[in-house]
Every structure is written in C-alpha cells, then in structure tokens.
Amino acid sequence: MTNMERLQKIIAQAGIASRRKSEELILSGKVEVNGEVVTELGTKANPEEDMITVNGKPIRSEKKVYMMLNKPKGVITSASDPEGRKIVSDYLKGVKERVYPVGRLDYDTEGLLILTNDGEFAHLLTHPKHHVPKTYLATVKGVPHGSALEKLKTGIMLDDGMTAPAEVEYKDVDTAGNEAVISITIYEGRNRQVRRMFEAINHPVTRLKRISFGGILLQNLKRGLTRNLTKEEVNNLITLAKSEPAKKMKKR
C-alpha cells in the first residue's frame, strides 16, 4: 500500500511551515517533487519514496514533538522580536526540532503554551470551528458582581462581535485589596479576548495566567520550564478538537 499524502500536509508534518504557509510555498513554485516544480495544491506524493524539496532543500520528516511551556510574563510568542525582548525559543535550548507555538499568549500573559512541529496538530487545535476550551485565572480590579459575570457566561458584545458563552467562577475575593481572582474558560481564540471581556464589564485584568488548554493542565510546572506531552495527552487533544463542534452545537 502506497503512503500517498497531499503535498502541503507532508511539508507541514515535516515541520517546515504551517499548512497555510506550505500551500503558499507550493503556489509560489518553491516546491519540487522528483526534480519537477509542483504548483497544484491537490498534488499527492509519497514522503517515503519521492524526493521532495522546498527552496532546493530536501525535506526530512522530523520526529514529532509535542510539549508545553509555562510561559513567563514579558515573553513574546513569536520567532523573533525586533525590539530584542525575550521570545519563546529562548526557553527551548535543548530542543533540536523546529517547534512553534499552537496559538498565542500575549506578551503580558503567562502560563500554559503548547508547542509542536506537527502542522496538522496545530491547525486542528487552533481552527475556529473546533472550539477547544482554554481556562485562565484572571486577577481583576474590583470585585465583579454576579450579574456582571453572568454577562460573560451568556456572551458579551465586543468590537469584533458577540463572544460565545464562557464558564466563569470566583476563585478568590480580596475586598481589602479591592480585587478578585476569577476562573474563566473560553472556547474561542480572539486577540486579547479575556482582557477585553473583563474590560467590557469594567473590571480590567491586572494579571492573566492560562492554566488549562483542552483539558491539559499546567499544574506545578515551574515558570520558564517545559515538559513533553504524553501520547495519551496528545491523543486526548486530537479527540477533543474533533468532537468539540458537535458538543458546542448541542449546548446552544
């Protein structure tokens, strides 16, 4: 049986680029199969038998890596920073494979960040239709009234539209310090979404930490350290991402 796969999938799985970027590489004539330039996105090849090159360099299927980092505050979730600030890869010194973050965490947000070199896996977890839950601990100014949190639970209007229902609960209330810690689980991945949701109810976030991604928990992983995900954790994330649309549709 031949192991034929779509070219963009092979390139993404080799850790060269995301699936979308792989499609751009094909369309711009940067990919050759057995010495011939291929620009058709539907083209299939066998990664074990065909010679596939990107920008003239043969691709080798890297060992798949799935890991998590407890991202410190003040670190950029990108490959480089023109301002010279710390970036995620500064914390990956022992990792030989070219891994990249699954989704983003803002510069001033800390906590659980998943990294991989598996483009299909990253695409599955970040595609808007999959609704993978992400849980944050938000320290906010003031103590939100229950009715304010209810707005977040049912959906609140932001400048880019209504949010999907979130799960929200009090974790700690400091009346003397006039602040509260709220646990919030969202099923979307909009830019600075949690911060904007709390701003919309007039309780701005002073500290934000992601503690869970698709059921994977940060637990006691120290800030700035990484660990590999178990095979079971990876499989659970894939199963969850594939099943989430149906679950969310039932809730509505």
Side-chain angles (χ1 to χ4, degrees):
M1 180 178 155
T2 56
N3 185 21
M4 300 295 281
E5 298 268 18
R6 282 174 303 127
L7 209 43
Q8 59 264 42
K9 184 175 179 180
I10 296 170
I11 296 168
Q13 287 184 333
I16 306 289
S18 68
R19 189 160 61 169
R20 190 168 57 80
K21 285 271 190 271
S22 299
E23 290 175 352
E24 290 170 13
L25 287 168
I26 294 167
L27 291 170
S28 59
K30 303 279 177 63
V31 178
E32 293 185 6
V33 178
N34 299 327
E36 292 189 17
V37 175
V38 173
T39 54
E40 291 272 326
L41 288 183
T43 304
K44 289 190 174 182
N46 184 336
E48 291 167 19
E49 294 178 6
D50 294 315
M51 169 61 86
I52 302 163
T53 62
V54 177
N55 288 321
K57 292 181 183 170
I59 68 169
R60 291 195 313 275
S61 288
E62 283 188 324
K63 177 171 76 83
K64 294 290 180 289
V65 176
Y66 309 91
M67 62 197 307
M68 63 190 264
L69 164 72
N70 184 350
K71 179 185 108 56
K73 183 178 178 177
V75 174
I76 302 285
T77 310
S78 65
S80 61
D81 180 52
E83 295 175 38
R85 293 171 293 186
K86 273 198 168 292
I87 55 174
V88 162
S89 57
D90 291 338
Y91 295 88
L92 306 174
K93 297 302 183 198
V95 181
K96 297 185 181 69
E97 295 81 9
R98 198 190 68 93
V99 298
Y100 44 86
V102 176
R104 302 183 71 80
L105 280 180
D106 298 329
Y107 175 73
D108 46 3
T109 300
E110 59 190 296
L112 200 165
L113 185 66
I114 290 179
L115 301 124
T116 187
N117 58 351
D118 183 341
E120 289 290 300
F121 177 75
H123 179 76
L124 184 68
L125 290 185
T126 53
H127 197 286
K129 78 177 185 188
H130 290 138
H131 306 292
V132 175
K134 295 168 278 286
T135 302
Y136 298 79
L137 286 182
T139 305
V140 302
K141 287 183 181 174
V143 180
H145 197 272
S147 59
L149 294 189
E150 203 58 42
K151 290 178 184 174
L152 303 185
K153 288 182 184 178
T154 54
I156 195 161
M157 183 57 76
L158 301 178
D159 54 11
D160 54 358
M162 200 76 164
T163 64
E167 293 160 30
V168 188
E169 62 175 302
Y170 295 104
K171 283 294 177 188
D172 192 23
V173 173
D174 178 1
T175 45
N178 195 30
E179 66 174 24
V181 178
I182 312 288
S183 165
I184 178 167
T185 300
I186 60 171
Y187 291 83
E188 306 165 281
R190 302 192 210 177
N191 188 37
R192 298 182 73 82
Q193 181 176 339
V194 172
R195 292 177 187 276
R196 290 190 294 134
M197 287 171 76
F198 280 104
E199 274 164 25
I201 61 167
N202 299 311
H203 290 278
V205 171
T206 57
R207 183 185 178 196
L208 190 60
K209 181 177 188 176
R210 184 156 71 193
I211 57 167
S212 172
F213 186 113
I216 305 293
L217 303 176
L218 183 64
Q219 292 180 313
N220 56 1
L221 182 66
K222 288 192 166 58
R223 187 179 292 129
L225 295 187
T226 63
R227 77 161 174 85
N228 289 325
L229 299 185
T230 65
K231 188 172 272 191
E232 185 182 19
E233 286 173 328
V234 172
N235 290 338
N236 287 347
L237 280 170
I238 292 169
T239 303
L240 179 74
K242 288 180 174 174
S243 67
E244 271 305 315
K247 282 205 281 194
K248 289 301 289 178
M249 291 307 288
K250 281 179 198 164
K251 279 187 185 176
R252 285 185 188 138

